[in-house]
Amino acid sequence: MKRKQDIFDKLLTLPVLHYFQPIYEKHREVILYLFFGGLTFLLSIFTFALFHITLNINELIANILSWIIAVLFAFFTNRIWVFEAPTKTYKEFISQLSTFLGGRVVTLIIEEGLLFVFITLLHLNSMVIKIFAQVIVIVLNYIISKCIIFKK
């Protein structure tokens, strides 16, 4: 069954962008994961800076608040566009959400550990460490999402 065209497919019909359509079609999932992962990354960094630097909230608490916002954004963008994993029933949706959150909790624990060691204990620059930790988390989240949560 052919999938329904979405906004990204339609954008690639525009002049000049249509040259990228074969590459997009071949690597659609990875391209969209990088796009939405990038947006999630920016959202995570921005909200962490807001909570930690602007509002002076402890880095570990600021990270958890940032994580909540970023994970909600990532769940809906991943299930709708990246992995195209709609659910038919409420039970399936809750199961998918629970699995997603479980996977993200694993990477949250890893990220919190990195922040604790490098910011709390070693007093390194919080934004540099947050960015470093986010790169590791993005890679791990893709693997978890692809292999466990949204597997086809």
Side-chain angles (χ1 to χ4, degrees), residues 73-85:
F73 175 79
F75 174 70
F76 288 104
T77 57
N78 276 273
R79 77 182 292 271
I80 293 168
W81 287 294
V82 178
F83 298 107
E84 295 179 327

Side-chain angles (χ1 to χ4, degrees), residues 77-122:
T77 57
N78 276 273
R79 77 182 292 271
I80 293 168
W81 287 294
V82 178
F83 298 107
E84 295 179 327
T87 51
K88 293 182 175 110
T89 66
Y90 178 74
K91 185 177 178 181
E92 283 180 0
F93 175 81
I94 294 301
S95 174
Q96 188 181 70
L97 177 61
S98 299
T99 308
F100 187 85
L101 291 175
R104 292 309 195 263
V105 165
V106 169
T107 58
L108 172 65
I109 292 167
I110 292 167
E111 184 176 21
E112 286 282 289
L114 291 169
L115 297 183
F116 178 73
V117 169
F118 292 104
I119 299 172
T120 307
L121 298 180
L122 298 177

Side-chain angles (χ1 to χ4, degrees), residues 6-29:
D6 60 26
I7 190 168
F8 301 102
D9 297 308
K10 292 174 184 170
L11 281 173
L12 286 169
T13 63
L14 295 173
V16 179
L17 292 181
H18 74 278
Y19 293 111
F20 298 103
Q21 194 165 15
I23 295 167
Y24 173 76
E25 287 176 9
K26 184 175 181 183
H27 304 286
R28 182 179 188 283
E29 184 178 285

Side-chain angles (χ1 to χ4, degrees), residues 3 39 43 45 52 59 63 76-77 101 115 126 131 140:
R3 70 178 179 79
L39 291 178
L43 181 63
I45 297 300
H52 179 56
E59 62 271 3
N63 189 56
F76 288 104
T77 57
L101 291 175
L115 297 183
S126 61
I131 290 168
L140 292 174

Side-chain angles (χ1 to χ4, degrees), residues 12 22 24 29 35 37 47 51 56 58 62 66 89 92 96 99 118 127 143 145-147:
L12 286 169
Y24 173 76
E29 184 178 285
F35 175 74
T47 55
F51 296 133
N56 204 28
N58 171 278
S66 169
T89 66
E92 283 180 0
Q96 188 181 70
T99 308
F118 292 104
M127 293 309 298
I143 293 166
S145 292
K146 175 77 175 159
C147 298

